[in-house]
Amino acid sequence: MIKELIISSPGRINLIGEHTDYNDGYVLPAAIDKRIYMRLSINGTKTTCRIKSKGFDTVLIADLFSLKPGTESWHNYVLGVLHELQLLTQGLKGFDCEMHTDVPVGSGVSSSAALECGLAYGLNELFELGLDNWQIIKLSQRAEHNFVGTKCGIMDQFSSVMGKKDHTMLLDCQSLEFEYIPTKLSPYVILMLNTNVTHNLATSGYNTRREESASGLKIVADHFGTKNSFRDISLEMIEECKAMLGDVRYKRCTYVLEENRRVLTAAEALKRNDLMALGEILYNSHKGQSQKYEVSCAELDFLVEFSKEFKEILGSRMVGGGFGGCTLNIIHEDAVEGYVERVSMAYEKTFGINLSHFVSVPSDGTTIIKQTNEAESK
């Protein structure tokens, strides 16, 4: 029997395919080398759970038989996972968890999914609950829907669990079929620039965008008598329904179809290692996010525009839910230091905010990095 284990669970980047996962679309994500680490152990109680976060320097104490919304932002991600596990299994008992993270919070690289999936994966192993990876992915998504209030798609949790070193993943969010694509960027690297503009997807425009695209889709589908899926409508159909949709829904719906096309084109460019083509697609994606889906902000737009002045950068776009967070930049490895210095100065001069950054590489998904069994601890 397992007594204690240490789990490593990654955040994620998404090369392209933003706000398409909850719209039956395609995405092209990868797990990253920024991770949350959790030490989990059985504490001998039936229902008492003690979770300590070094980053927040606080302890959450929860009773499995009385799970109520927490008082701090990270609490509900934990409580949501415990709630969903309780619905699936009777095997969960009291445990202690100590965690720390180097995944930047609020930067659009899904620190929340790393937390959810790491905890669900670890408790599944610790208590031998018998859940498979897809069950862990889906229950973590439901935790965010039901306890946090963000109606996220499945991409973040999928990426955190299923990531593979040196690969991105082309995921069909309708069928959940996916393929690993070898990702050899050298001599280029992925540079993430964090605007340090914080955002809360549960209270921002994220859920609003989801409603706008869904209601727009229904108008088009009802008009043509098709299935209520973006897979069953075309840009021509949207164009014909433009007056009925109104300006906002028209822009949301056209963005979804155009972004889906960009994802598939980007995947083909990656397969043939055409980084120049990939970079241009990233710029087009950002334009769509900014002008049609309207999830960007002045700081993100500034960083993307600034990057266009440098030949060492092939492409740039905002990543994540939007309204803050990071831009993703494909940049020559020799240019990183100099570029960061220049863009940081320009950014601070314009917005009065310090820019932070990190270089990221596609990495493995959630894993056990240490395990202690009952017999070994005696």
Side-chain angles (χ1 to χ4, degrees), residues 58 90 133 206 234 319:
T58 56
Q90 301 302 309
N133 282 345
Y206 185 98
S234 66
V319 295

Side-chain angles (χ1 to χ4, degrees), residues 167-193:
H167 289 74
T168 52
M169 297 168 286
L170 176 62
L171 171 66
D172 180 336
C173 296
Q174 184 182 57
S175 69
L176 298 184
E177 294 177 354
F178 69 97
E179 64 173 304
Y180 290 108
I181 301 176
T183 304
K184 306 292 184 182
L185 299 178
S186 183
Y188 291 86
V189 295
I190 296 171
L191 170 67
M192 306 297 290
L193 296 177

Side-chain angles (χ1 to χ4, degrees), residues 6-301:
I6 299 175
I7 295 291
S8 168
S9 187
R12 65 98 188 95
I13 54 170
N14 184 27
L15 280 181
I16 190 168
E18 223 63 78
H19 291 272
T20 50
D21 58 344
Y22 58 77
N23 282 315
D24 290 337
Y26 299 95
V27 290
L28 195 61
I32 59 173
D33 53 338
K34 301 296 181 182
R35 310 176 76 87
I36 187 168
Y37 299 90
M38 300 180 178
R39 182 187 297 273
L40 291 155
S41 58
I42 296 172
N43 63 21
T45 71
K46 288 186 177 180
T47 65
T48 301
C49 309
R50 294 182 288 261
I51 302 98
K52 180 178 181 180
S53 169
K54 290 185 178 179
F56 290 95
D57 200 29
T58 56
V59 178
L60 168 64
I61 299 177
D63 188 318
L64 290 174
F65 290 169
S66 180
L67 296 172
K68 300 175 183 178
T71 57
E72 295 191 32
S73 58
W74 63 274
H75 288 181
N76 287 335
Y77 297 102
V78 171
L79 294 166
V81 168
L82 299 182
H83 173 72
E84 296 300 329
L85 282 171
Q86 287 284 82
L87 295 177
L88 288 177
T89 174
Q90 301 302 309
L92 198 59
K93 294 182 175 62
F95 67 91
D96 295 336
C97 173
E98 186 173 286
M99 59 187 182
H100 69 276
T101 184
D102 57 19
V103 183
V105 176
S107 61
V109 293
S110 205
S111 57
S112 57
L115 172 55
E116 293 155 359
C117 295
L119 183 62
Y121 190 99
L123 292 175
N124 181 53
E125 295 293 331
L126 188 66
F127 291 104
E128 299 177 347
L129 302 178
L131 304 178
D132 63 32
N133 282 345
W134 276 111
Q135 288 176 294
I136 290 169
I137 290 166
K138 291 177 181 179
L139 79 86
S140 297
Q141 181 195 26
R142 291 195 300 273
E144 196 149 337
H145 284 196
N146 299 330
F147 244 81
V148 180
T150 302
K151 301 300 183 182
C152 62
I154 205 163
M155 174 183 68
D156 296 348
Q157 293 80 11
F158 164 82
S159 305
S160 190
V161 172
M162 305 295 279
K164 183 177 180 181
K165 186 178 180 181
D166 296 328
H167 289 74
T168 52
M169 297 168 286
L170 176 62
L171 171 66
D172 180 336
C173 296
Q174 184 182 57
S175 69
L176 298 184
E177 294 177 354
F178 69 97
E179 64 173 304
Y180 290 108
I181 301 176
T183 304
K184 306 292 184 182
L185 299 178
S186 183
Y188 291 86
V189 295
I190 296 171
L191 170 67
M192 306 297 290
L193 296 177
N194 191 345
T195 62
N196 290 311
V197 175
T198 58
H199 64 287
N200 184 330
L201 297 184
T203 57
S204 72
Y206 185 98
N207 289 343
T208 302
R209 295 302 182 278
R210 182 165 186 156
E211 188 282 326
E212 289 165 347
S213 55
S215 58
L217 167 63
K218 188 175 188 307
I219 289 170
V220 179
D222 285 352
H223 180 74
F224 285 98
T226 67
K227 290 182 181 178
N228 194 44
S229 170
F230 277 102
R231 296 294 183 85
D232 290 279
I233 67 171
S234 66
L235 287 169
E236 291 74 21
M237 291 177 177
I238 295 172
E239 200 66 39
E240 187 172 323
C241 295
K242 186 173 183 179
M244 288 185 287
L245 290 167
D247 185 57
V248 171
R249 290 189 179 92
Y250 172 76
K251 288 193 292 188
R252 304 297 186 257
C253 289
T254 54
Y255 167 79
V256 172
L257 290 193
E258 289 168 353
E259 185 75 349
N260 273 331
R261 289 183 180 180
R262 284 190 287 262
V263 173
L264 296 177
T265 306
E268 291 304 315
L270 201 58
K271 288 176 182 178
R272 63 178 187 269
N273 204 33
D274 188 345
L275 300 184
M276 294 290 290
L278 177 63
E280 189 62 32
I281 297 167
L282 298 191
Y283 279 129
N284 290 335
S285 175
H286 182 81
K287 184 177 179 181
Q289 290 170 277
S290 180
Q291 297 180 8
K292 290 194 172 182
Y293 221 66
E294 297 178 291
V295 289
S296 188
C297 61
E299 294 85 355
L300 289 166
D301 289 343

